């Protein structure tokens, strides 16, 4: 295990993330500009894709980091049977869920029940499929819907804030089931679908389009919100949530719902809207 990864066990995760949050929301001109310029330069951010390409015009680093894209820069796969990629980034892992376990990295896995915080919630996915998408600091940081769904429930699962970089994912056991996260349950025409917004070190902010900021506030117990009957239906490719800095989204599908795109594999670069999977029913209406 690398020194940096080892240190993450001892670091005061929430304190560091709180400090980073203060910097990210600061409107001090020098702080704001230094943070934005550093990230643009270090990670090669393509500002030509942004709805607002002027880095100096953003009120804060967080406003820059959660920037919108220009109209038409990302479009959904035209096949109405295609479930679409929820975000820009890289595939961390994807594939079948085997015996209720999700593959994290060589020698590392975790259970669906651990990830979702509840065995009953996990039941529909025990032999389904998953895709874990890592968003790097250079990526667009809004997460969209792979398929049309009606929000049923959200579950805020408290936890650590380990880095979700490649080194940590390969070494920290059950990392995604240990980090703080927001589990979003949707009902679709093929059954349940879950999108899990996983926080990380210095990445502790998650906002949704239906209720705004969900993380922080940090929690010390699982908190559920029932959204049934509220009529919150999001269409395929519609924006769902955003990270206030990069992290990871995990999509869970039940068995038989769709076949994952066979060309996807660990470290595949992906873009919002490309094909994630293909719905098994041939006559889906667009």
């Amino acid at each position: 295990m690398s020194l940096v990864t080892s240190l993450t066990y001892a670091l005061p995760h929430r304190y560091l993330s709180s400090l980073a949050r203060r910097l990210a929301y600061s409107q001090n001109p020098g702080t704001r500009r230094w943070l934005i310029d550093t990230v643009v330069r270090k990670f090669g951010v393509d500002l030509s894709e942004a709805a607002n390409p002027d880095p100096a015009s953003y009120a804060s680093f967080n406003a820059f980091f959660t920037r919108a894209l220009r109209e038409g820069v990302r479009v959904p796969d035209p096949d109405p049977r295609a479930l679409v990629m929820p975000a820009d980034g890289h595939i961390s892992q994807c594939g079948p869920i085997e015996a209720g376990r999700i593959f994290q990295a060589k020698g590392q896995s975790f259970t669906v029940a651990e990830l979702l915080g509840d065995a009953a919630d996990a039941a529909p996915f025990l032999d389904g499929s998953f895709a874990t998408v890592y968003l790097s600091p250079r990526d667009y940081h809004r997460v969209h819907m792979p398929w049309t769904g009606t929000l049923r429930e959200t579950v805020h699962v408290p936890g650590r804030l380990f880095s979700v970089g490649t080194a940590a994912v390969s070494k920290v056991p059950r990392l995604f089931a240990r980090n703080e996260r927001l589990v979003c349950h949707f009902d679709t025409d093929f059954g349940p679908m879950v999108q899990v917004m996983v926080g990380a070190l210095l990445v502790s902010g998650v906002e949704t389009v239906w209720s705004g900021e969900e993380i922080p506030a940090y929690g010390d117990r699982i908190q559920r919100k029932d959204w049934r009957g509220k009529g919150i239906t999001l269409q395929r490719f519609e924006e769902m949530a955003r990270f206030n800095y990069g992290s990871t989204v995990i999509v869970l599908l039940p068995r038989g719902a769709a076949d994952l795109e066979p060309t996807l594999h660990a470290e595949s670069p992906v873009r919002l809207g490309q094909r994630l999977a293909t719905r098994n029913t041939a006559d889906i209406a667009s």
Side-chain angles (χ1 to χ4, degrees), residues 151-200:
L151 183 66
R152 173 168 26 100
E153 186 178 42
T154 58
V155 184
H156 177 189
V157 185
R160 298 280 289 178
L161 290 169
F162 289 108
S163 166
V164 292
T166 303
V169 169
S170 66
K171 298 297 183 182
V172 178
R174 303 170 34 258
L175 186 151
F176 296 118
R178 296 169 71 178
N179 273 18
E180 189 144 17
R181 55 205 178 275
L182 183 71
V183 179
C184 303
H185 293 271
F186 293 92
D187 293 321
T188 77
D189 64 1
F190 56 69
M193 176 182 75
V194 167
Q195 292 222 100
V196 183
M197 302 282 287
V198 183

Side-chain angles (χ1 to χ4, degrees), residues 83-120:
L83 280 73
V84 299
M85 196 65 63
D88 285 2
H90 284 76
I91 294 291
S92 178
Q93 296 291 342
C94 63
I97 298 170
E98 299 180 337
R101 299 195 71 86
I102 295 173
F103 183 66
Q104 177 177 302
K106 185 176 181 180
Q108 307 288 352
S109 66
F110 52 90
T111 70
V112 182
E114 288 174 322
L115 178 68
L116 302 187
D118 186 274

Side-chain angles (χ1 to χ4, degrees), residues 75-282:
V75 295
D77 188 291
D79 185 344
R81 298 173 304 146
L83 280 73
V84 299
M85 196 65 63
D88 285 2
H90 284 76
I91 294 291
S92 178
Q93 296 291 342
C94 63
I97 298 170
E98 299 180 337
R101 299 195 71 86
I102 295 173
F103 183 66
Q104 177 177 302
K106 185 176 181 180
Q108 307 288 352
S109 66
F110 52 90
T111 70
V112 182
E114 288 174 322
L115 178 68
L116 302 187
D118 186 274
D121 288 345
F125 305 102
L126 296 182
D127 54 359
S129 56
F130 78 98
T132 302
V133 182
Y134 167 68
L135 291 73
S136 77
R138 67 164 292 161
D139 293 317
Y140 170 65
H141 274 76
R142 303 189 186 191
V143 174
H144 293 233
M145 292 289 287
W147 193 256
T148 299
T150 299
L151 183 66
R152 173 168 26 100
E153 186 178 42
T154 58
V155 184
H156 177 189
V157 185
R160 298 280 289 178
L161 290 169
F162 289 108
S163 166
V164 292
T166 303
V169 169
S170 66
K171 298 297 183 182
V172 178
R174 303 170 34 258
L175 186 151
F176 296 118
R178 296 169 71 178
N179 273 18
E180 189 144 17
R181 55 205 178 275
L182 183 71
V183 179
C184 303
H185 293 271
F186 293 92
D187 293 321
T188 77
D189 64 1
F190 56 69
M193 176 182 75
V194 167
Q195 292 222 100
V196 183
M197 302 282 287
V198 183
L201 187 66
L202 309 184
V203 190
S204 53
V206 172
E207 298 178 24
T208 66
V209 298
W210 56 83
S211 65
E213 187 174 75
E214 293 281 353
I215 305 174
Y218 300 125
D220 57 7
R221 60 184 176 83
I222 291 177
Q223 299 180 56
R224 294 178 174 271
K225 292 182 181 179
D226 188 350
W227 296 95
R228 282 169 284 205
K230 303 295 175 59
I232 302 172
T233 297
L234 301 178
Q235 301 300 311
R236 169 183 179 263
F237 192 64
E238 187 174 352
E239 183 183 342
M240 185 202 88
R242 65 184 65 174
F243 286 112
N244 296 329
Y245 208 56
S247 194
T248 297
V249 58
I250 302 175
V251 183
L252 301 185
L253 303 172
R255 180 180 179 181
D259 297 320
L260 290 176
E261 175 60 34
T263 60
L264 296 175
H265 55 81
E267 298 305 316
S268 292
V270 294
R271 285 162 67 95
L272 168 68
Q274 77 177 72
R275 187 183 299 255
L276 168 66
T278 303
R279 181 76 164 88
N280 282 332
T281 301

